[in-house]
Amino acid sequence: MRDEDHQLLIAMHRGVDASARIFWARQSPRLLAFARAVLPRRLRSHAEDVVQSVFCRLLDLPAREIESIRDVGAYLAAMTRHQALNVARSARRDAARHESLPVRGGSPETPQHEDDLARAIDALPRRLRETVVLKHSTGLSFDALADVLGLNRDTLASRYRQGLNALRATLVPGATTTEVRDG
């Protein structure tokens, strides 16, 4: 599948419409889930913009860089994380600039109903949430995750276990935190 994704990426970059559609259909759901995990709750509505920006940036890359990508999933995950963190930083700067301005009419957004799993994932600290969602949404190995996040493989495996244990404790009444395999 990795070679196939790489070939689709190259064809998409060359302007083959059908390849772009297939590549988008394969990659965008995973990247969207990951972008939502990285973004703070109040910015989750920007996740689609993050993914779209990643795809636009892909198209702007030189052909030699596209051809040199070793792991398309890891590369896209790193780009998505970078873009999502940029959106979050930008929003923080905007909020700080507007903090001193007087508040004018309007009502706060009402949060939509979320299911128990989504709330439990949201409650995880960002470092755990990011690791769990990235691992599940992309299916990358801990070695590939280490490359994407710039962290030690064992640190990521530990965060993954901590995250799953926290989810289990939240979602399963009376559950004890047991070890989770690094799978």
Side-chain angles (χ1 to χ4, degrees), residues 16-154:
V16 179
D17 228 16
S19 295
R21 284 190 190 97
I22 294 168
F23 191 76
W24 174 265
R26 277 192 185 177
Q27 300 297 331
S28 65
R30 289 181 276 207
L31 298 178
L32 186 59
F34 181 51
R36 285 185 179 130
V38 173
L39 290 167
R41 182 177 298 170
R42 72 185 192 292
L43 298 175
R44 299 258 164 85
S45 62
H46 296 276
E48 289 177 1
D49 295 335
V50 166
V51 174
Q52 183 176 358
S53 176
V54 166
F55 276 79
C56 289
R57 287 176 185 242
L58 273 176
L59 295 174
D60 286 339
L61 291 175
R64 69 183 181 287
E65 190 169 338
I66 292 288
E67 291 172 7
S68 71
I69 295 173
R70 289 181 296 154
D71 186 333
V72 173
Y75 190 86
L76 291 173
M79 285 182 76
T80 301
R81 180 176 186 261
H82 179 76
Q83 185 63 25
L85 293 175
N86 281 344
V87 166
R89 277 191 294 273
S90 179
R92 273 196 310 271
R93 286 191 299 268
D94 287 347
R97 275 194 299 270
H98 295 356
E99 192 174 273
S100 62
L101 297 176
V103 177
R104 300 179 192 239
S107 61
E109 293 181 23
T110 54
Q112 296 179 0
H113 176 71
E114 298 176 2
D115 64 2
D116 292 340
L117 178 60
R119 280 194 299 273
I121 290 171
D122 285 346
L124 291 173
R126 186 177 69 87
R127 64 187 177 83
L128 299 181
R129 183 177 65 238
E130 184 176 66
T131 304
V132 169
V133 172
L134 183 59
K135 175 76 172 139
H136 282 278
S137 67
T138 64
L140 295 173
S141 67
F142 285 113
D143 291 327
L145 289 176
D147 290 341
V148 169
L149 299 174
L151 296 170
N152 179 290
R153 177 201 188 286
D154 294 332

Side-chain angles (χ1 to χ4, degrees), residues 3-16 19 23 63 66-68 72:
D3 288 337
E4 189 176 340
D5 284 341
H6 194 254
Q7 293 305 315
L8 284 169
L9 175 59
I10 291 170
M12 179 185 81
H13 194 262
R14 291 180 180 156
V16 179
S19 295
F23 191 76
I66 292 288
E67 291 172 7
S68 71
V72 173

